[in-house]
Amino acid sequence: MTYTPYHPQSLEPALQQRWEAEGRFRAPAYPDGEKFYALAMFPYPSGQLHMGHVRNYSIVDAIARYQRMHGKTVLHPMGWDAFGLPAENAALKNGSAPAAWTFSNIEHMRGQLRRLGLSYDWSREIATCTPDYYRWEQWLFLKLYERGLVYQKLSAVNWDPVDQTVLANEQVVDGRGWRSGALVERREIRQWFLRISAYADELLAGLDSLQGQWPEQVLAMQRNWIGRSEGAEIHFPLADGSGVIKVFSTRPDTLFGATYLAVAPEHPLAEQAAAANAQIAAFLARCKQGAVSEASLETQEKEGVYLGIEVRHPLTGALLPVWAANFVLMGYGEGAVMSVPAHDQRDFEFARKYGLPLRVVIRVDDADPGADELQAAITAPGTLIHSADFDGLPSAVAKVAITEALAAKGLGQKTINYRLRDWGISRQRYWGTPIPMIHCPHCGVVPVPEAELPVVLPTHYQLHDPRSPLRDDPTFLEVACPKCGAAAQRETDTMDTFVESSWYYARFACPDAEQMLDQRAAAWLPVDQYVGGVEHAVLHLLYARFFNRLLRDVGLLPKDGAHDEPFRRLLTQGMVLKDGSKMSKSKGNTVDPQAILDRYGADTARLFILFAAPPEQSLEWSDQAVEGAHRFLQRIWRMVQEYSLPLTPLPVRLGPAARELRRAVHQCIERVSSNMAERQHFNVAIAACMELSNQLGRVEAAPGEDLHAVLGEGLQALLLLLSPFAPHLTEALWERIGDGQALFTHPWPEVDAEALRSDTVSLVIQVNGKLRERLDFSATSSPAELEQAVLTHPDMARHLSGKEVRKVIVVPGRLINIVVA
């Protein structure tokens, strides 16, 4: 027999060219029969694949191939999240245009993905930086503007005074701009917002439908991010009678413990007080130095200043001072909070720092500490004390009673608040989707007419500083007002890149549509399996859920309930580690996927990365394990080539060795099928295939007719089971030993229940509940026969000698427990 060596470097590209020529993975316009939409979070075109990409895409490809073998019409597309800040940073560094840099990277990464042999429908490829893609989000922006779901307002941003640009939170390092090193200022500028808060209740309720299909961790993170809380809106009248300060509190039961109010540095009352007080003005100026993210505000040192303003307690009439504090956000409610230092830790620390009074109004566990004795705030609910008519009420009851008392005085009401803030999509940078609005000195803000879409982003700029070149380009900037015809200017803000990634999954269903989506989207959606990193648990996944509802409400998706959620099932894969740390260039512990492909081939890379750990767990890189995966594939290659053709049908009767081997084959099919369909533990599935290969490999060189037939069946099953993980090798070998039907259209192997039957059954033997033996008995034995057999079995003599057997408990198919004195 002629043995052809396993050479993936030539085998794999040849098969990939055949797949491409045949259009093998091209999905039809509409599903034919049962559909399955498999999708990985699409990549940013950085120029190089990393091992995290390889893991993510190998997981989805295994799922897609498995579903094809179950007769489903599979959609498995790929595209590029191509706008964003990294392209600008690279352009600044390299002196190139972001567009040229981006498209060059796309071309290179596309070649790398093709080399992995992933079963993509490349005819549906999209890049979000192309006008035929982003014109439709401009169209949607205008539709949402008409509905009041898009609006402009002042919002705090990180401002770099040297580079004269807005910085993202991640560009602020130790309070300074990442590029200039200048102290960052907190400024308020007009920005565009999407009213995601209008969908807060629906987004929260929708999480219930994803229970059991999405990781519980992701569902919990989204619930926390939306942050629905019931409480009271409380009005504190200004002492001078000029109005009220409104605050929201989830703890109206602590109202009698309020000793001061705190407002944001940007609050109108703070700015009004600063106009006549240099100390206050200096404090507000200091607050403008520093980042604006909630995380930054939480960790910074708490500071404040008294504004010289007082309010009246709404129930007691007592005067309370009003402070400006650097931890209060103007975007939270109306930029003011009720401070109860005895029952809130942040308020406690602030009060201790500035000598403000504490008043204990909640007793827990019968303790009634004086304010001076407190070492920390008492945050648990309890029983009210020092709260006038509400003394003795439990916190839960007092919340209702106090809220009703406020409402009766017209100074409050029950309300629901959300942590979720409206989505600010304005970016004062260049490489993004232009916002389709025009600023007219006479008409104000005017939408670009739909007929003039898309507003095309010029792509020729060479960047030399972070300032957006759109602001200085009259060919882009200057335009006639669509309403009055006067000279006007285009909006120079671009959209947050999360906008592009919030609807790409739907565009894949109809990438050539002459509208944002057509009927093909409804036919393919929702995505049946979505895979990506858990770091996208909140923003991307929440925004995509929001956008899916927007698409539904503007008539692009059915309002049938089945299309409310974009992703039916979610898998969040773990990181790839090396030497215990996440791979990164700065740590010098990266592994180049191209080097693995060049040395071992795509099948080895895919098999290793799916075998090394369950997909949701982190994976530790191991050069030895890569070698092991390659040796396993070489063994399969050799075993199939060494099999003596032709295949022979299974005899009517099998000998004991052949029956045992066939049982192992079908046990493997059962185990792999279970782990592919339910748990998606590909590592366990591959381990089962490895175990079967060992059993097949032990068959003698010249077996009898029955063993030869079972060996052929086992090798065929092994190739079918391995094909989602190692598609090149298995297809090449199938051409030698297959049944005449092409591997990629072949059904998944089915378990023969008869083959799983055994003449014997292995039972756990316990004595007084402790494991003592594992023994084989006839599978047809009755409980009485099993009891007699175990008591007389020679291996049990040492466990039972000299002991009185009081009871034998038989659990059929599992165990026998012998109770002795």
Side-chain angles (χ1 to χ4, degrees):
M1 183 195 72
T2 304
Y3 176 78
T4 304
Y6 176 46
H7 193 265
Q9 290 79 3
S10 57
L11 170 70
E12 292 174 351
L15 283 171
Q16 290 162 10
Q17 289 174 14
R18 182 200 298 178
W19 298 343
E20 182 69 22
E22 294 174 354
R24 181 174 295 184
F25 307 118
R26 184 168 294 193
Y30 291 89
D32 181 14
E34 187 178 358
K35 65 95 177 176
F36 192 90
Y37 185 174
L39 186 64
M41 294 182 184
F42 65 170
Y44 175 75
S46 60
Q48 292 290 335
L49 287 185
H50 54 69
M51 295 311 301
H53 288 131
V54 175
R55 189 181 197 195
N56 195 4
Y57 307 146
S58 296
I59 289 170
V60 182
D61 197 59
I63 293 170
R65 290 177 181 273
Y66 170 78
Q67 294 294 341
R68 284 193 188 94
M69 295 178 76
H70 277 76
K72 297 179 184 178
T73 304
V74 172
L75 173 58
H76 184 203
M78 174 50 68
W80 311 97
D81 192 10
F83 269 141
L85 191 60
E88 288 195 34
N89 292 346
L92 284 169
K93 181 178 179 180
N94 302 322
S96 61
W101 186 86
T102 298
F103 285 110
S104 173
N105 287 349
I106 287 174
E107 183 176 358
H108 182 71
M109 290 180 71
R110 186 191 300 116
Q112 290 183 304
L113 290 176
R114 287 182 180 275
R115 180 63 186 86
L116 280 167
L118 301 161
S119 59
Y120 291 137
D121 179 355
W122 283 105
S123 70
R124 295 171 182 263
E125 179 183 8
I126 55 177
T128 60
C129 63
T130 57
D132 59 351
Y133 181 84
Y134 65 70
R135 70 168 293 179
W136 297 113
E137 60 198 51
Q138 292 177 339
W139 173 87
L140 182 64
F141 182 98
L142 298 179
K143 293 298 177 187
L144 299 179
Y145 182 74
E146 292 172 5
R147 292 166 174 248
L149 292 171
V150 167
Y151 66 95
Q152 236 186 345
K153 72 171 184 178
L154 287 172
S155 180
V157 298
N158 304 310
W159 180 259
D160 187 316
V162 172
D163 280 340
Q164 293 288 295
T165 187
V166 171
L167 302 177
N169 289 328
E170 60 269 21
Q171 292 178 299
V172 180
V173 181
D174 296 329
R176 296 179 179 272
W178 69 279
R179 186 173 182 273
S180 70
L183 283 172
V184 170
E185 298 176 1
R186 187 159 64 183
R187 282 196 181 182
E188 283 204 330
I189 62 174
R190 296 196 70 80
Q191 303 217 81
W192 290 99
F193 288 81
L194 292 182
R195 205 179 296 275
I196 190 174
S197 61
Y199 287 77
D201 270 330
E202 188 181 344
L203 289 169
L204 191 61
L207 295 173
D208 293 339
S209 69
L210 302 173
Q211 203 77 39
Q213 302 297 312
W214 282 34
E216 189 56 43
Q217 174 191 11
V218 175
L219 297 177
M221 291 170 72
Q222 290 215 4
R223 287 191 180 98
N224 292 338
W225 190 264
I226 296 169
R228 185 182 188 275
S229 54
E230 294 185 2
E233 180 184 271
I234 305 172
H235 300 178
F236 288 81
L238 288 160
D240 63 6
S242 61
V244 299
I245 296 179
K246 298 178 183 179
V247 305
F248 171 80
S249 176
T250 59
R251 296 292 306 272
D253 55 316
T254 66
L255 177 58
F256 285 84
T259 60
Y260 65 99
L261 262 58
V263 301
E266 299 86 5
H267 195 282
L269 287 174
E271 294 178 344
Q272 177 184 327
N277 186 300
Q279 180 186 359
I280 296 173
F283 171 76
L284 300 190
R286 284 202 311 277
C287 289
K288 291 181 179 179
Q289 302 289 336
V292 299
S293 70
E294 286 189 46
S296 299
L297 295 179
E298 281 296 322
T299 56
Q300 70 184 358
E301 183 182 355
K302 308 299 184 289
E303 293 185 304
V305 65
Y306 174 49
L307 298 180
I309 297 171
E310 292 181 321
V311 293
R312 293 196 178 277
H313 191 285
L315 296 184
T316 69
L319 292 175
L320 305 179
V322 179
W323 285 63
N326 64 351
F327 57 81
V328 182
L329 287 167
M330 193 60 207
Y332 183 83
E334 296 194 5
V337 296
M338 174 181 83
S339 296
V340 185
H343 303 290
D344 180 278
Q345 187 60 29
R346 184 184 59 187
D347 298 344
F348 176 86
E349 294 168 4
F350 190 87
R352 283 282 194 248
K353 179 174 181 176
Y354 291 102
L356 295 167
L358 283 75
R359 185 174 297 117
V360 178
V361 295
I362 302 290
R363 182 172 59 212
V364 180
D365 298 330
D366 295 326
D368 187 5
D372 295 338
E373 302 171 25
L374 288 182
Q375 300 301 311
I378 302 169
T379 57
T383 303
L384 267 65
I385 56 176
H386 310 310
S387 298
D389 295 341
F390 305 97
D391 282 355
L393 293 180
S395 286
V397 176
K399 286 180 181 181
V400 177
I402 289 176
T403 302
E404 290 175 348
L406 289 167
K409 296 187 69 172
L411 292 175
Q413 60 186 344
K414 180 181 178 180
T415 189
I416 294 171
N417 197 38
Y418 295 91
R419 182 177 182 271
L420 181 68
R421 300 287 171 265
D422 283 340
W423 177 9
I425 64 165
S426 289
R427 297 295 178 267
Q428 292 72 38
R429 295 187 292 273
Y430 154 61
W431 189 237
T433 296
I435 292 176
M437 305 299 280
I438 292 169
H439 298 272
C440 174
H442 308 293
C443 305
V445 180
V446 182
V448 171
E450 281 186 34
E452 295 180 13
L453 296 181
V455 178
V456 176
L457 182 76
T459 59
H460 62 279
Y461 300 123
Q462 299 284 327
L463 299 187
H464 303 290
D465 59 61
R467 179 180 169 84
S468 171
L470 298 177
R471 302 181 191 179
D472 307 313
D473 184 353
T475 60
F476 175 85
L477 195 62
E478 296 174 4
V479 65
C481 173
K483 277 190 174 181
C484 70
Q489 290 190 335
R490 291 193 187 279
E491 173 66 73
T492 58
D493 282 1
T494 55
M495 294 190 198
D496 178 9
T497 53
F498 275 116
V499 174
E500 281 82 61
S501 61
S502 291
W503 70 283
Y504 77 107
Y505 61 89
R507 185 67 179 181
F508 272 138
C510 47
D512 58 349
E514 291 301 315
Q515 52 187 338
M516 190 171 192
L517 301 177
D518 61 23
Q519 293 178 338
R520 291 172 290 176
W524 283 108
L525 291 176
V527 174
D528 294 283
Q529 180 67 69
Y530 197 38
V531 178
V534 72
E535 66 271 16
H536 300 294
V538 175
L539 296 182
H540 163 59
L541 288 169
L542 184 64
Y543 291 155
R545 295 181 61 230
F546 169 49
F547 247 70
N548 203 74
R549 287 160 169 80
L550 295 178
L551 296 172
R552 176 200 65 192
D553 291 349
V554 298
L556 295 174
L557 289 175
K559 295 183 178 181
D560 57 4
H563 289 81
D564 288 349
E565 294 292 341
F567 313 119
R568 179 176 287 125
R569 192 173 184 183
L570 173 69
L571 188 156
T572 52
Q573 91 282 358
M575 296 184 296
V576 180
L577 311 176
K578 193 168 189 294
D579 304 324
S581 300
K582 182 179 179 181
M583 289 187 181
S584 71
K585 291 180 180 178
S586 62
K587 294 179 181 177
N589 67 344
T590 58
V591 174
D592 182 6
Q594 193 62 49
I596 302 299
L597 295 175
D598 292 343
R599 182 174 180 183
Y600 297 107
D603 282 349
T604 292
R606 293 163 56 126
L607 190 78
F608 158 74
I609 213 154
L610 293 174
F611 175 61
E616 69 275 8
Q617 294 181 12
S618 293
L619 176 159
E620 178 68 34
W621 182 266
S622 166
D623 294 333
Q624 292 78 12
V626 176
E627 276 285 357
H630 191 61
R631 285 196 303 271
F632 169 68
L633 293 179
Q634 287 178 315
R635 184 166 72 248
I636 301 297
W637 182 268
R638 184 176 60 254
M639 287 171 58
V640 173
Q641 293 213 31
E642 290 176 349
Y643 180 78
S644 179
L645 293 173
L647 290 162
T648 55
L650 291 171
V652 175
R653 291 186 178 276
L654 299 177
R659 281 202 309 274
E660 200 61 35
L661 183 62
R662 190 159 191 263
R663 185 177 305 113
V665 171
H666 286 268
Q667 285 174 337
C668 181
I669 295 172
E670 184 178 50
R671 191 175 173 196
V672 173
S673 300
S674 171
N675 279 281
M676 291 294 290
E678 299 164 17
R679 301 166 64 206
Q680 296 180 323
H681 281 188
F682 311 119
N683 59 315
V684 179
I686 294 169
C689 291
M690 291 177 171
E691 184 179 329
L692 177 61
S693 75
N694 290 334
Q695 293 167 298
L696 297 175
R698 286 195 289 267
V699 175
E700 57 197 44
E705 179 185 349
D706 58 349
L707 265 176
H708 181 266
V710 173
L711 178 60
E713 181 190 29
L715 290 172
Q716 284 187 330
L718 191 58
L719 294 180
L720 291 169
L721 297 174
L722 282 172
S723 61
F725 314 120
H728 308 87
L729 173 138
T730 51
E731 180 162 326
L733 293 177
W734 188 258
E735 291 175 359
R736 181 179 193 277
I737 201 175
D739 58 8
Q741 183 174 354
L743 181 67
F744 76 95
T745 62
H746 200 287
W748 188 256
E750 293 185 4
V751 175
D752 184 345
E754 187 64 33
L756 295 178
R757 290 185 183 176
S758 174
D759 295 335
T760 61
V761 60
S762 182
L763 299 180
V764 168
I765 311 302
Q766 297 176 341
V767 176
N768 288 346
K770 294 184 178 179
L771 175 65
R772 295 305 184 199
E773 299 287 346
R774 185 182 292 273
L775 301 176
D776 293 335
F777 301 93
S778 170
T780 59
S781 298
S782 67
E785 290 170 332
L786 287 172
E787 179 177 339
Q788 179 62 28
V790 73
L791 291 177
T792 58
H793 198 289
D795 289 352
M796 294 303 297
R798 60 195 177 97
H799 301 300
L800 302 178
S801 177
K803 298 175 182 175
E804 178 189 352
V805 176
R806 293 189 171 178
K807 190 176 184 181
V808 178
I809 302 168
V810 178
V811 181
R814 291 181 56 197
L815 61 84
I816 300 173
N817 183 31
I818 304 169
V819 181
V820 299

